[in-house]
Amino acid sequence: MTITLFHTGWNYSQDGPGNRMILHFQGCNFDCPWCSNPEGRSLEGSLFVRKEHLTESVCPHGAVKGKTLNRDICRRCRKKECLNENRNQGIGFSSFQMSVEELVQKAAQSKPLFYDGGGVTVTGGEATLQFPALMELLKKLKAEGIHTALETNGSHPKLPELFPFLDLLILDIKHWNRENAGKVIGKMPLNVFENLKKANLSDVSLLARITLIPGFNSTRDDMERFISLFNSLPEKQELQLELLLYHHYGREKWEAIGEEYRGPGDLLPEEKKSEYEALFRQKGITIINT
């Protein structure tokens, strides 16, 4: 069984404990205008351009003029010489495929690097869009004794079926109200909140994350609503929450894939994040920073 990815890499403690291998699955079912990995949204993958390396000679069909790519010509192209024959640094494609077996072997060979409780974190895009392959991958990683984590928007109806094969579930909660969220990021299924409840009653460690987006979910009233949501959860384990500040790091990627960046221009100050963290702590919610 194959998995379509757009990036693999490593980080320390940002997406789970210790030193971790990070697998970015291609494709997402939300349309967040501030996405920092826009090349990972389309299931089919995205053509991206590095203008500083772009040369006209890579395309025999005249799609490149100076430092500009005519994507209409690219969409009609079948041979994709720029990717297959004239491979170069100026034009690339976001997605590639690896088999579950290849990824498990890569992780198993990397066990000495999983120090301080590390392991494998699967993220996206939205990894649950490739659910059967994700399930097989997590099962085999657990069979290898590897710590597993999944970062997800929580929207897949079968998400709880993955809990037995996860050590850590990182749930990115976009908004406290699915109708309000739907106006901006596309339809947010009701089962996001249902899966949050089920996760909090399960044996998998749960970390909820909120990225504070100006004009979307970052007012004092929004925080009070989030607190009500979290405090309404049936308790089995202590909920941990991490607040993240929205940033513009993905802006250049949007241009690279030929799309307009639609995220808000404003940034929330660090002081506001600290204020909200204190508010959550006052309400008995554990705040962590990774």
Side-chain angles (χ1 to χ4, degrees):
M1 189 174 292
T2 59
I3 293 173
T4 304
L5 306 107
F6 66 92
H7 182 66
T8 65
W10 292 81
N11 69 35
Y12 184 85
S13 79
Q14 294 178 357
D15 295 299
N19 199 44
R20 309 194 67 79
M21 178 186 294
I22 312 297
L23 306 177
H24 289 266
F25 280 39
Q26 182 78 41
C28 187
N29 57 327
F30 286 179
D31 184 26
C32 301
W34 51 81
C35 182
S36 58
N37 292 310
E39 75 278 21
R41 293 178 306 145
S42 168
L43 275 170
E44 293 76 28
S46 299
L47 193 72
F48 62 85
V49 171
R50 300 183 181 93
K51 286 187 176 181
E52 65 273 22
H53 299 296
L54 196 59
T55 60
E56 295 185 5
S57 61
V58 303
C59 178
H61 309 291
V64 180
K65 296 297 182 183
K67 297 298 181 181
T68 301
L69 179 69
N70 185 332
R71 292 178 180 269
D72 288 336
I73 295 177
C74 296
R75 280 186 279 271
R76 297 193 298 268
C77 182
R78 293 293 175 264
K79 290 188 176 181
K80 300 287 189 287
E81 289 95 339
C82 64
L83 300 176
N84 302 317
E85 299 174 16
N86 305 329
R87 296 185 66 178
N88 63 99
Q89 291 184 316
I91 299 178
F93 199 70
S94 66
S95 69
F96 59 95
Q97 290 190 328
M98 294 182 68
S99 69
V100 169
E101 289 72 21
E102 287 175 309
L103 289 169
V104 173
Q105 182 180 27
K106 182 178 180 180
Q109 292 172 344
S110 300
K111 283 184 180 181
L113 301 177
F114 296 148
Y115 50 85
D116 295 341
V120 175
T121 297
V122 180
T123 182
E126 175 51 47
T128 58
L129 294 190
Q130 301 182 58
F131 195 88
L134 173 61
M135 171 75 85
E136 182 178 348
L137 174 66
L138 292 174
K139 283 182 178 180
K140 291 187 174 182
L141 290 173
K142 288 304 296 177
E144 288 283 345
I146 295 172
H147 184 283
T148 57
L150 171 67
E151 183 179 16
T152 174
N153 61 31
S155 63
H156 200 286
K158 294 183 178 181
L159 181 64
E161 294 181 19
L162 301 177
F163 293 171
F165 312 106
L166 286 171
D167 295 295
L168 173 65
L169 179 68
I170 304 172
L171 267 178
D172 292 319
I173 308 299
K174 306 297 184 183
H175 204 284
W176 52 268
N177 181 281
R178 57 190 294 265
E179 284 77 21
N180 290 355
K183 297 173 185 177
V184 178
I185 66 172
K187 186 176 180 181
M188 181 172 154
L190 183 61
N191 47 283
V192 169
F193 301 131
E194 290 301 315
N195 284 337
L196 175 64
K197 292 178 183 179
K198 291 176 181 178
N200 207 48
L201 287 172
S202 74
D203 292 324
V204 61
S205 295
L206 173 63
L207 171 61
R209 276 181 173 166
I210 302 170
T211 300
L212 300 171
I213 310 294
F216 178 68
N217 66 358
S218 63
T219 67
R220 173 72 180 233
D221 180 66
D222 287 323
M223 298 306 106
E224 297 283 359
R225 303 278 189 157
F226 277 120
I227 288 169
S228 296
L229 170 65
F230 295 141
N231 283 339
S232 70
L233 295 175
E235 291 188 12
K236 179 178 180 181
Q237 60 176 301
E238 179 184 55
L239 175 73
Q240 293 188 321
L241 174 66
E242 182 172 26
L243 299 183
L244 301 175
L245 287 174
Y246 159 72
H247 55 69
H248 292 152
Y249 297 160
R251 184 190 295 270
E252 292 183 357
K253 291 185 178 182
W254 285 78
E255 181 181 356
I257 63 171
E259 295 190 34
E260 180 182 359
Y261 183 72
R262 297 175 284 124
D266 295 335
L267 298 177
L268 207 67
E270 182 71 38
E271 295 76 19
K272 184 62 69 173
K273 174 176 173 285
S274 299
E275 174 190 329
Y276 290 160
E277 287 176 338
L279 179 62
F280 279 102
R281 290 190 183 101
Q282 289 172 10
K283 301 297 183 178
I285 296 172
T286 300
I287 293 290
I288 69 167
N289 289 286
T290 58

